Amino acid sequence: MRIKKIYNNNVLLAENDKHVEKVVMGRGIAFKKRADEEVDTSKIEKTFILEKNEWSRTFEQLLNEIPAGYFEIADEIIRYAQSALGAQFSKYIYLTLTDHISFALRRHREHIDMRNALIWEIKKFYKDEFAAGVTALDIIKRRTGEQLPEDEAGFIALHFVNAQIEGQRMQQTMEMTGITNDILNIVKYYFHTELDENSLNYERFVTHLRFFNQRLFHREQIQSDGDDFLHEQVKKKYPDAYSCTNRIKAYFKRSFDFDISIDEQIYLTIHIHRVTDRRKRLESKT
């Protein structure tokens, strides 16, 4: 694999014997190197292909505008987060997170810290990602001496969420988080109760909502023949939960012109019953 272009001491563009271009990252991999020389493969830490032209342009712009050290900070954060979350991220997070860190630090130095309107929702729905975001702030402080506000841990957490859902944009991730919060509020207001956010049923419900929202954005439904018998059974057995599901159904129709299938209604009703039943039974004893 030969060097085509050197960006800085730690990042270069290389081409293999099949003429495939790859961005190669590694500490000191381009130090005292020149174009057309062989890449020292023993120093390669990250290799990825920028399939889209716009990503190639963005990458070069970032390298020209952002100190190389910020890529190293992002790399340390990504390594930690993937290990802590047991996840594999899209490689484009190296671009998006580096860009975010650079912009966040510049804004912070100019006393323009941005408020994260979804901070509490992120803490509730993406607890592990938020915890990794908090550690990311510690890494940034150790590397730069700058203490970014907690709101930034929320923004970074969304980068982790976004990177685990291939092809999904950050704006979509934030919209999905807002929709999840709306649904939970519908349930809370309908039953006039708070939900136990530490319960297993709550975690199951939120997990279901996350994937439900992904299907919404892709205009997909759970595919089956539609079990009318089970639908009627669930409707009769859990009338309150089913009535709440109808409110959620109306919310999606009104807000997104999206019709929830019978199968989706069954799943939602069961989850709503589970997440509210124990709370109702505890309240009835007081």
Side-chain angles (χ1 to χ4, degrees), residues 219-266:
R219 294 283 160 168
E220 298 173 349
Q221 299 273 14
I222 293 176
Q223 297 298 321
S224 77
D225 295 330
D227 194 331
D228 292 332
F229 176 77
L230 180 58
H231 178 249
E232 288 300 317
Q233 290 296 105
V234 168
K235 182 178 177 180
K236 290 178 181 178
K237 190 172 184 179
Y238 310 126
D240 290 338
Y242 182 77
S243 180
C244 183
T245 294
N246 278 336
R247 294 198 179 186
I248 295 171
K249 179 181 177 181
Y251 160 78
F252 277 103
K253 183 64 176 177
R254 180 180 64 253
S255 301
F256 307 101
D257 193 27
F258 184 76
D259 293 311
I260 299 176
S261 69
I262 288 177
D263 297 288
E264 295 283 8
Q265 292 174 51
I266 292 171

Side-chain angles (χ1 to χ4, degrees), residues 94 151 187 271:
Y94 286 93
D151 294 77
V187 175
H271 277 292

Side-chain angles (χ1 to χ4, degrees), residues 114-133:
M114 290 180 63
R115 178 177 174 273
N116 190 334
L118 295 175
I119 188 71
W120 296 111
E121 287 82 359
I122 294 167
K123 286 181 178 180
K124 288 194 298 183
F125 306 148
Y126 306 113
K127 293 179 181 178
D128 294 338
E129 287 86 353
F130 181 78

